[in-house]
Amino acid sequence: MRVVVRFLFRFLVGFLGLSIALVVLFKFVPVPVTATMIMDGNGITKDWEPLSNIDRNMVRAVIAAEDGKSCTHDGFDREAIEKAIEQNAKGGRIRGGSTVSQQTAKNVFLWQGGGYFRKGLEAYFTVLIENVWGKRRIMEVYLNVAETGIGTYGAEAGAQRYFGKSATRLTPLEAARMAAALPLPKERSVKNPGGWLRRHGNTISARIGVVGRDGLDACIYD
């Protein structure tokens, strides 16, 4: 029993040390690869770009579509989580309550899929990156590792794939359509969306102006 306890203690200390070291490292160094990329059977197309090379429309589109309280929460939008739980309990379309911080933690350090164990690790890494990276770095990493299409990762690779140009000069509608596809990039069309997806993209495009007017992206550019 003593051997088991000693092993578990060493494992925990090792995990904590390694996780903190990686978080500190990735505050300054581009994330080279993620578990999602490695397990993607479609290959990997990516091109890391600093946030200064990604159009502000893309940042605002992500905030409008994914995380309107990005600059005011501590990594967890508790109201959104409660609403997601209530709606999912009623059945129908599954609604998520994850913030950009949570999605970044999952994308960089963990794997896709659910389960309480994975969600617990996600919460742990979310707290770490919120305190070590800050909002700007979180958004920068998210926009470089998020899956933007089949075998395509990051805003730059997505912009090149769909619009044949750099992410430095995306129009509000282009950024909105990319953001609308982010939750299901393998299934949602960016270039020629139809029906609900087209309307959703148009709504995000309109909200980009609201994000700018109300300064909802101010913490990213302070």
Side-chain angles (χ1 to χ4, degrees), residues 63-135:
I63 291 174
E66 301 281 306
D67 191 0
K69 298 178 181 178
S70 183
C71 284
T72 58
H73 63 59
D74 60 357
F76 306 93
D77 185 343
R78 290 161 182 79
E79 183 180 355
I81 293 172
E82 290 173 1
K83 288 182 178 179
I85 292 173
E86 291 176 4
Q87 182 170 316
N88 296 339
K90 297 176 182 177
R93 176 180 293 169
I94 299 297
R95 170 177 175 161
S98 295
T99 63
V100 167
S101 300
Q102 289 174 271
Q103 293 176 52
T104 304
K106 176 185 68 176
N107 289 341
V108 174
F109 300 104
L110 303 170
W111 60 92
Q112 303 299 316
Y116 291 111
F117 178 68
R118 205 273 294 156
K119 292 297 288 185
L121 289 175
E122 177 187 297
Y124 166 71
F125 279 107
T126 297
V127 172
L128 280 183
I129 64 176
E130 276 280 333
N131 286 279
V132 177
W133 290 2
K135 299 293 187 179

Side-chain angles (χ1 to χ4, degrees), residues 17-220:
L18 179 60
S19 61
I20 293 172
L22 286 174
V23 169
V24 172
L25 177 66
F26 292 150
K27 177 179 174 67
F28 306 101
V29 177
V31 178
V33 71
T34 67
T36 303
M37 295 177 189
I38 293 172
M39 292 187 287
D40 193 332
N42 299 292
I44 305 171
T45 300
K46 62 186 182 70
D47 187 357
W48 184 281
E49 290 289 343
L51 196 64
S52 57
N53 289 349
I54 299 175
D55 198 292
R56 195 161 181 166
N57 283 324
M58 190 68 233
V59 173
R60 289 174 172 172
V62 167
I63 291 174
E66 301 281 306
D67 191 0
K69 298 178 181 178
S70 183
C71 284
T72 58
H73 63 59
D74 60 357
F76 306 93
D77 185 343
R78 290 161 182 79
E79 183 180 355
I81 293 172
E82 290 173 1
K83 288 182 178 179
I85 292 173
E86 291 176 4
Q87 182 170 316
N88 296 339
K90 297 176 182 177
R93 176 180 293 169
I94 299 297
R95 170 177 175 161
S98 295
T99 63
V100 167
S101 300
Q102 289 174 271
Q103 293 176 52
T104 304
K106 176 185 68 176
N107 289 341
V108 174
F109 300 104
L110 303 170
W111 60 92
Q112 303 299 316
Y116 291 111
F117 178 68
R118 205 273 294 156
K119 292 297 288 185
L121 289 175
E122 177 187 297
Y124 166 71
F125 279 107
T126 297
V127 172
L128 280 183
I129 64 176
E130 276 280 333
N131 286 279
V132 177
W133 290 2
K135 299 293 187 179
R136 181 179 175 86
R137 181 60 175 176
I138 289 171
M139 181 63 73
E140 182 173 59
V141 173
Y142 178 74
L143 288 176
N144 275 285
V145 302
E147 187 178 9
T148 50
I150 298 176
T152 306
Y153 293 85
E156 177 64 22
Q160 294 287 356
R161 171 176 180 156
Y162 298 118
F163 308 116
K165 63 181 182 181
S166 172
T168 57
R169 50 191 184 90
L170 290 169
T171 68
L173 185 57
E174 290 168 344
R177 287 186 173 175
M178 285 182 63
L182 279 175
L184 295 168
K186 287 185 172 66
E187 301 175 19
R188 295 183 178 182
S189 173
V190 173
K191 291 194 69 174
N192 299 297
W196 174 85
L197 187 58
R198 174 178 288 273
R199 294 191 298 273
H200 183 45
N202 291 341
T203 299
I204 295 172
S205 181
R207 288 177 181 168
I208 286 175
V210 177
V211 173
R213 183 195 68 201
D214 293 349
L216 301 183
D217 61 341
C219 64
I220 309 297

